[in-house]
Amino acid sequence: MTNLAKESSAPAWHDAVAGATAGAGSRIFTAPLDLVKIRLQLSSSSATETPASALRQAVREGGIWGLFRGNTAATCLWVAYAAVQFTAYGKCAALLRDFHSAIPPPPPLDRPSNFYDRCRSLARTASSDPTCVAFVSGGAGGLAATAVTYPLDLCRTTFAATAKSRAGPAGRSLAGFVRHTAANGGSRAFFVGLYPAMVQIVPFMGINFAVYDYFVRGAERREG
């Protein structure tokens, strides 16, 4: 088993390559399910429509390749997302470990402590706890990855929402999406909804990595 919060001797680019490969593989195999999810979320008849009927509709509209509509943007999204996320995670975890070693130890118990001493003691304790390191690093990784790849996420959703035959200029090609979005809203239009996504992803990824780290370390203790 691997504890992500442990210091690794592998080069930093290994995190990016491993994350990108994992992101691409998982995306290719789950693309039809993601398309169905988006169609059902946006459908006015989603209360009566089923995943099977949404799959059949996608095949009728675009053949078997209709199940992978928007997959180019989505694959780029998850490759970039995973690469940025795991790279940022590794960098942040290493930074926190260095931060811990750079913080002076707390004052003796018989000496009155002030607010600065208490904050220093708290920071030292938190940066020495692997689960806390995993939470902070996971949240930072998710934040960085979401910010960098958000335009691709917007493009993926636009493509998956409608069939190509019924799509407007923004939903027919990557180039068309870029031109249409830039012409109608400028650069800021590529990041509509980014702030809620960032607020959501920090605790989500932080808890995700922290829980993973906690149980991996527990399993390692039992095996050891």
Side-chain angles (χ1 to χ4, degrees), residues 4-6 88-98 133 137:
L4 290 175
K6 285 183 178 178
Y89 181 98
K91 293 290 187 183
C92 186
L95 183 65
L96 288 173
R97 286 191 294 267
D98 293 341
V133 170
S137 302

Side-chain angles (χ1 to χ4, degrees), residues 80-175:
Y81 190 98
V84 173
Q85 180 185 38
F86 283 97
T87 300
Y89 181 98
K91 293 290 187 183
C92 186
L95 183 65
L96 288 173
R97 286 191 294 267
D98 293 341
F99 178 69
H100 171 74
S101 61
I103 300 175
L109 294 177
D110 58 352
R111 199 192 88 182
S113 61
N114 53 33
F115 178 75
Y116 170 74
D117 289 333
R118 289 193 293 270
C119 289
R120 186 177 65 183
S121 177
L122 178 62
R124 184 178 175 84
T125 302
S127 60
S128 66
D129 184 341
T131 300
C132 185
V133 170
F135 177 85
V136 175
S137 302
L143 186 69
T146 299
V148 169
T149 63
Y150 193 80
L152 289 170
D153 192 24
L154 189 65
C155 180
R156 168 192 71 111
T157 305
T158 301
F159 276 46
T162 56
K164 188 173 183 178
S165 59
R166 295 184 284 110
R172 292 175 183 163
S173 67
L174 280 170

Side-chain angles (χ1 to χ4, degrees), residues 5-220:
K6 285 183 178 178
E7 187 171 3
S8 173
S9 59
W13 61 267
H14 281 199
D15 292 329
V17 172
T21 303
S26 62
R27 171 61 209 179
I28 290 171
F29 284 107
T30 61
L33 295 175
D34 190 45
L35 181 138
V36 168
K37 180 201 73 172
I38 293 174
R39 294 278 179 93
L40 289 176
Q41 286 176 331
L42 300 178
S43 173
S44 58
S45 59
S46 58
T48 57
E49 193 172 4
T50 65
S53 65
L55 277 171
R56 288 194 296 269
Q57 180 67 21
V59 172
R60 281 196 299 269
E61 292 173 340
I64 194 67
W65 292 112
L67 296 175
F68 294 88
R69 177 161 162 72
N71 196 48
T72 300
T75 302
C76 292
L77 162 67
W78 290 115
V79 167
Y81 190 98
V84 173
Q85 180 185 38
F86 283 97
T87 300
Y89 181 98
K91 293 290 187 183
C92 186
L95 183 65
L96 288 173
R97 286 191 294 267
D98 293 341
F99 178 69
H100 171 74
S101 61
I103 300 175
L109 294 177
D110 58 352
R111 199 192 88 182
S113 61
N114 53 33
F115 178 75
Y116 170 74
D117 289 333
R118 289 193 293 270
C119 289
R120 186 177 65 183
S121 177
L122 178 62
R124 184 178 175 84
T125 302
S127 60
S128 66
D129 184 341
T131 300
C132 185
V133 170
F135 177 85
V136 175
S137 302
L143 186 69
T146 299
V148 169
T149 63
Y150 193 80
L152 289 170
D153 192 24
L154 189 65
C155 180
R156 168 192 71 111
T157 305
T158 301
F159 276 46
T162 56
K164 188 173 183 178
S165 59
R166 295 184 284 110
R172 292 175 183 163
S173 67
L174 280 170
F177 169 81
V178 172
R179 285 195 301 266
H180 185 270
T181 304
N184 286 274
S187 59
R188 296 185 65 176
F190 290 98
F191 297 92
V192 172
L194 174 61
Y195 292 145
M198 292 172 72
V199 170
Q200 179 264 344
I201 203 64
V202 170
F204 177 83
M205 283 300 176
I207 293 171
N208 185 19
F209 278 94
V211 170
Y212 172 85
D213 178 86
Y214 178 82
F215 282 105
V216 166
R217 287 189 298 108
E220 288 177 343

